[in-house]
Amino acid sequence: MADTKTICFANNKGGSGKSTTCSSLAYAFSQMGKKVLVVDGDMQLNLSLAFFDEDTVLSFAGGEENLYYAIKGQKDLTPYVKKTEYENLSLIPSSTLMSGIEFDLFTKWQREFILRQGLEKIRSSGEYDYILIDSPPTLGCWVMNILCASDFLIVPVEASPWGLFGLANMFEFCEQVRKISPSLTILGVAVTKVNERKNYFRQTVDVLTDMEEERGIHLFRNYVRVDSSVEHAQDDSKPVMAYKRTSRAALEYLALAKEVMEYAHR
């Protein structure tokens, strides 16, 4: 099988920066000359909206050429790939119908591996260097699918008073997944939405540093501070680096992308 690295972004707490981190790293990797496929696994469509305008995303979501119908029909995902305007970067779009995917998966045979099977031809083709998967803020059969389809997990954590809430549950869930998909590796925790003037930023880092020392869960050294450019980029349906490559968030996500790439190939 080709050496395609599949990385998912998951945290059962909403607002942690999963979609922004996924889209930003995907764009950074593509700018480094790597071929990247992003998979929008969330009914909120945020990852899709980072690369296409709202009308196009709603068109994808309202039709049948999206991830929901592929998973429901247990199909090969190759025909569902959409090329973005950015070189080396493609997307499999989501649908609001993903809100019911748990029900659809319930009666499937080997339901935890349907996404892995759907990606098998894409991975073995060697067309992409990286497949990046965004996930919803839940812990269930669909997120288990995403984890089972991935080589690596990155957990974005918001530097806020509630940013660490539920993190222990996330890692316990990962341990359960590794019983049926032992190759899954937690690549690390990425701290987002940082305001260095707030005490809880340092508290967040201290807790995650202790976790790194005690449990061996890597803490990425490059973190991403609060930057209005992220919201402006979202409003313009672009990754922040495409919107304003000199912005603080763009430069910090680029540094994080380089660190992630190095760590994934260690």
Side-chain angles (χ1 to χ4, degrees):
M1 181 175 288
D3 189 26
T4 300
K5 305 291 186 186
T6 303
I7 305 173
C8 69
F9 299 77
N11 188 333
N12 54 310
K13 182 188 177 302
S16 62
K18 291 184 296 294
S19 300
T20 300
T21 303
C22 182
S23 64
S24 297
L25 266 57
Y27 182 82
F29 290 166
S30 72
Q31 293 298 294
M32 296 178 200
K34 304 299 182 181
K35 294 206 69 177
V36 183
L37 173 66
V38 289
V39 181
D40 190 350
D42 190 357
M43 63 163 285
Q44 298 178 86
L45 315 178
N46 291 336
L47 185 63
S48 299
L49 287 165
F51 299 104
F52 292 95
D53 63 72
E54 184 175 342
D55 289 342
T56 303
V57 170
L58 291 178
S59 176
F60 291 153
E64 295 189 2
E65 294 183 0
N66 57 57
L67 184 63
Y68 172 75
Y69 282 100
I71 295 300
K72 184 179 180 180
Q74 296 181 255
K75 298 178 180 179
D76 167 37
L77 287 169
T78 305
Y80 296 84
V81 174
K82 310 293 184 184
K83 289 190 179 297
T84 73
E85 65 179 280
Y86 307 108
E87 187 177 4
N88 299 326
L89 188 48
S90 299
L91 165 80
I92 295 176
S94 188
S95 168
T96 53
L97 293 174
M98 290 296 292
S99 61
I101 197 64
E102 295 285 338
F103 177 80
D104 291 303
L105 289 170
F106 185 72
T107 58
K108 305 289 188 186
W109 171 250
Q110 291 192 322
R111 57 185 177 268
E112 299 89 354
F113 300 105
I114 292 174
L115 178 59
R116 178 194 286 184
Q117 292 163 359
L119 287 169
E120 187 174 348
K121 286 186 179 179
I122 293 175
R123 282 181 57 106
S124 62
S125 73
E127 182 175 354
Y128 299 98
D129 298 295
Y130 292 96
I131 299 173
L132 304 187
I133 311 174
D134 190 23
S135 63
T138 59
L139 297 179
C141 188
W142 174 236
V143 173
M144 184 172 286
N145 253 269
I146 293 173
L147 293 173
C148 286
S150 302
D151 302 308
F152 301 109
L153 164 66
I154 291 176
V155 183
V157 170
E158 178 186 11
S160 73
W162 290 354
L164 296 170
F165 185 76
L167 194 60
N169 292 337
M170 179 76 234
F171 291 130
E172 288 171 9
F173 186 77
C174 288
E175 289 306 311
Q176 294 301 312
V177 172
R178 288 165 82 167
K179 292 179 180 178
I180 60 172
S181 185
S183 61
L184 175 68
T185 298
I186 300 174
L187 198 61
V189 174
V191 183
T192 66
K193 302 183 181 180
V194 168
N195 185 338
E196 293 173 311
R197 294 174 294 179
K198 304 292 186 178
N199 289 334
Y200 49 72
F201 162 60
R202 181 45 53 192
Q203 294 167 359
T204 299
V205 171
D206 287 346
V207 170
L208 294 173
T209 299
D210 289 343
M211 186 178 296
E212 182 177 45
E213 293 173 353
E214 294 170 7
R215 300 184 60 177
I217 298 172
H218 179 66
L219 173 62
F220 290 110
R221 299 308 185 249
N222 288 284
Y223 54 80
V224 182
R225 288 172 285 181
V226 172
D227 185 350
S228 61
S229 294
V230 172
E231 293 181 354
H232 293 313
Q234 292 169 349
D235 188 52
D236 206 29
S237 294
K238 293 181 178 179
V240 66
M241 277 178 272
Y243 175 77
K244 187 177 182 182
R245 64 173 55 250
T246 58
S247 67
R248 180 168 66 185
L251 295 173
E252 290 173 349
Y253 268 121
L254 178 60
L256 177 61
K258 291 177 179 177
E259 184 181 2
V260 167
M261 186 180 291
E262 180 180 352
Y263 206 67
H265 290 271
R266 71 194 190 285

